[in-house]
Structure formats: C-alpha cells, structure tokens
Amino acid sequence: MAGCSQEADTAETTTKELSTRTISVDTITLRPMTGSVTASGLLLPRQEVAVGSEISGYRVAEVLVDEGSTVKKNQVLARLDPSLLLAKIAQAEANLAQAKTLANQSRAEANRIKGYEDIGAFSEEEIATRVAKAKNADAGVAVAQAQLNDLQTQKQRMEVRSPVNGFVLERIVRLGDVSGQSQPMFRLASNSLIELDAEVPEDDLANITIGQEATIILPSGIELKGKVRLLSPRIDPQTKLGHVRVQLPAHSELRAGGYAKVVFQQVSTPVPAVPEKAVQFEASGSLLVVIDQNNLARRVEIETGARTDGFVEIKNGPAVGTRVALGGGAFLLDGDLVNPLSKATTSDTVSEKTALDTQVTP
C-alpha cells in the first residue's frame, strides 16, 4: 500500500509539471509612440489663374509662351492682330477732326451774333438755334474723342499679359484663333506654388492640425517636406473622406494633376504599450493573455492604437506593469497555470546555451 501511495504521488507530481507550461512574459510599459497617418491625393496649384483677352473678335497673331514656361507679372503672353483696330482708330481720328471743325464753325457763328440781341437784328429763335448748334457741336467733339480713347485703350490690350508671377499650366490658344472674352487663353499657377490635396478618413482628421509637418512621397521616390495649410470643414457624405491641403516647396518634379502620397507624423507621447507578439487576434477583437500574481493566465480584450518599432499602443486594457504572455499565450486558456520567464531571463538563458554550444569540441 505504501508503494502504491508513493507511485500515485509521483504520477500526480509528474502530471502537474506537465500541465504547467513555461512561457515568456513581458510587462505593459509606458513608451513614446510616434503614430502616423498615411493618405494620398492629387497635386494641384495653390491658386490657378485664367488669362484671356479683354477684347473679342481679333485674330491671334503671336503666342509667345508654352506650357511649363515661367512667366513674370505683366509679361506678354500673346499678341492679337491689330490691323482691323488700326483702321477703326484712323476712322475715329478722322471723325474727331471733322467734329472739331464743325464745332469751330458753329462756335464762330454763335459768336458773330453776340451784341446784336438788343437791337433786333436777329430773331430770338435764330439766336437760340445758333447757340444750341454750337453746344451740340462741342458735344459731338466730346463723343468723337471718347470713341477714339476707347479704341486707343483696346490697342493697348492687343497684348495679353500675365497678371501674376508663376508658370503656365495650360496653353489653350492657337495661332489664328479669334479672341473671345468667355474663353481663357492660358491657365497659370500663381507664384509657381503646387500643393497636395490629400483625402484623409474622417477618423484621422482629428489627429491632423494646421501647421503640422508632413512627408510627401512622389511616384519617382523623391520625398519632400511640407506643412498642412488647410483642413477642409466638410466631409464627403459618400466616401467619409475630408480634404487636407499640404503646402510644398518648389521642385521640378511637382506637376499639377499628378499623384503623391503623404505621411502625417504625430507627436511622440508616452503611452501604455506591449510587444506586437503579445497581441492576439480573434473574431471578437484583439486580446492579451494576462499572468496574475499566482501565475494563472487570463484572457483580456483590448483596444489597440499606433504601432512602431515592434510595439503596439494599448488604448483600453490592463494597467501599466501588468505581466502579459508573449508568443506562447495563444495556447493558454483562462485559469491555466504557467511558469513565467521574463524577457530578460529568457535572453540570459539563450546566451548561456550559446556559450555552452561554443565550448563543445567537435
């Protein structure tokens, strides 16, 4: 009977040792986590300017710039054929000269009857007629002068000039086209500024602020540093995306209408975090296997956040300092007894084993 009892105790001890799993553990610690938001969008001019002719009906005689050309304010972009306008100016000048001659004649006739009003040499009707004729002639001179001034102003506008410094995004006009006020000839990027119009999910907009730095990655692989200039106050009801405008420095690789990615870096703040291999994923969500003071396992659901350098932020979960199982926790159930090995202890054991293996003589 004593022998049987001793064998039973040995079997129980062996079973207990087999049911106690040795696993690596680590603790939830505060770590500075640098989160980021990645988005994409189109490269657009910060301010696009449409340039056209202020007068219509004239043929385009010269086009002096093309797409991609850098222009300065008041630089001539195109010229219209002035032949028809010069003919109108010549006619207006002749009309003005004729009006002045008529006005001088009428004024002289009105002046000749001055002093004869009281002696009755001329009737009152004739006197009034000559005075009115002189006034009408002076008015005719003013009208002819105004018409000539208008044509002279049009002559100055036969040259289409750039209203801003920048570069030509699009040249629409061609030689021989007839100018029209409704159709622009050129589209310019004011001050040559191109920026990124990024589409960002609604949830991530709260983590972006005006003036925040961002990294823009062009299709060629070139990275540029930019700053957030504008946050759209509106969210697209269909896509749930908002627009963020990122100001960029001048660069030859920036082309309006192109595509680029952007990474918005967030400020580093200490947050509860665990190694990535401690986090498990199930249908219900993310969880950790917590090891209590009695070395018993317990599965706890968590909410994760940013990821960086092999660690995961714990937004909602156990307190800082709690022990959690690493990779082997996936095979543990609630209440399982474990033999925990801290991360440091595990590293020391591996180092000792490596040293012993090195001493073995082949």
Side-chain angles (χ1 to χ4, degrees):
M1 292 179 61
C4 291
S5 176
Q6 185 176 0
E7 291 177 359
D9 292 340
T10 301
E12 182 180 355
T13 302
T14 303
T15 303
K16 183 177 181 180
E17 290 176 351
L18 291 175
S19 63
T20 303
R21 186 184 298 274
T22 300
I23 62 169
S24 298
V25 299
D26 206 338
T27 58
I28 300 177
T29 57
L30 288 176
R31 294 182 60 88
M33 301 287 286
T34 303
S36 63
V37 176
T38 302
S40 60
L42 295 177
L43 296 170
L44 302 175
R46 179 172 178 176
Q47 183 178 11
E48 184 175 315
V49 181
V51 182
S53 175
E54 298 181 45
I55 55 178
S56 58
Y58 295 92
R59 184 177 60 85
V60 177
E62 290 183 271
V63 179
L64 304 178
V65 296
D66 209 337
E67 294 181 359
S69 300
T70 300
V71 297
K72 295 183 178 180
K73 187 175 182 179
N74 292 325
Q75 179 177 335
V76 179
L77 307 180
R79 289 191 177 95
L80 305 180
D81 185 357
S83 302
L84 180 60
L85 183 61
L86 292 177
K88 291 182 178 179
I89 291 176
Q91 182 179 358
E93 290 175 343
N95 292 337
L96 177 60
Q98 183 179 14
K100 286 181 178 180
T101 300
L102 181 61
N104 291 333
Q105 181 181 355
S106 299
R107 197 179 304 111
E109 291 178 356
N111 290 333
R112 280 198 297 268
I113 64 174
K114 286 183 178 181
Y116 293 95
E117 295 90 344
D118 297 333
I119 63 175
F122 297 95
S123 65
E124 293 182 0
E125 182 179 357
E126 186 177 357
I127 293 173
T129 299
R130 292 191 178 187
V131 172
K133 184 178 179 181
K135 291 182 178 180
N136 288 336
D138 290 338
V141 172
V143 170
Q145 184 66 60
Q147 292 175 345
L148 178 60
N149 291 342
D150 178 63
L151 293 175
Q152 293 286 5
T153 301
Q154 292 186 33
K155 181 181 178 182
Q156 296 176 359
R157 295 175 180 173
M158 296 297 282
E159 294 182 335
V160 180
R161 297 177 178 268
S162 171
V164 296
N165 295 326
F167 68 86
V168 181
L169 291 170
E170 183 181 10
R171 177 179 67 84
I172 305 170
V173 67
R174 299 169 301 179
L175 287 175
D177 285 349
V178 177
S179 62
Q181 296 178 349
S182 61
Q183 177 66 30
M185 294 181 172
F186 304 91
R187 296 189 185 276
L188 309 181
S190 178
N191 295 318
S192 302
L193 293 178
I194 298 294
E195 61 185 16
L196 178 65
D197 182 20
E199 292 184 326
V200 180
E202 180 181 6
D203 295 341
D204 293 330
L205 280 177
N207 299 321
I208 300 174
T209 58
I210 294 178
Q212 181 177 342
E213 293 188 354
T215 301
I216 288 77
I217 305 172
L218 302 180
S220 61
I222 294 177
E223 294 187 2
L224 301 175
K225 295 296 182 181
K227 287 186 177 181
V228 176
R229 183 182 68 84
L230 178 67
L231 292 176
S232 172
R234 180 178 177 274
I235 302 296
D236 190 304
Q238 301 296 328
T239 63
K240 298 301 179 183
L241 297 174
H243 291 264
V244 179
R245 287 285 186 124
V246 182
Q247 183 178 346
L248 301 176
H251 195 280
S252 59
E253 290 290 331
L254 294 176
R255 297 179 176 87
Y259 169 85
K261 293 182 180 179
V262 59
V263 179
F264 301 96
Q265 296 293 341
Q266 299 176 7
V267 180
S268 298
T269 54
V271 295
V274 295
E276 288 183 337
K277 57 184 177 182
V279 181
Q280 301 178 32
F281 301 94
E282 294 186 351
S284 59
S286 304
L287 59 86
L288 294 175
V289 177
V290 173
I291 309 301
D292 63 16
Q293 296 179 351
N294 298 321
N295 294 336
L296 297 178
R298 180 168 56 90
R299 302 165 75 85
V300 178
E301 292 185 357
I302 61 170
E303 179 183 355
T304 61
R307 296 171 178 265
T308 182
D309 297 331
F311 285 83
V312 181
E313 176 188 359
I314 306 301
K315 287 188 174 181
N316 186 15
V320 174
T322 302
R323 294 187 301 173
V324 294
L326 297 179
F331 304 98
L332 296 176
L333 300 176
D334 287 345
D336 284 354
L337 180 65
V338 300
N339 176 28
L341 290 178
S342 66
K343 187 176 181 180
T345 303
T346 304
S347 299
D348 293 342
T349 302
V350 172
S351 298
E352 292 176 2
K353 183 179 184 299
T354 303
L356 290 174
D357 292 341
T358 305
Q359 296 175 5
V360 175
T361 302

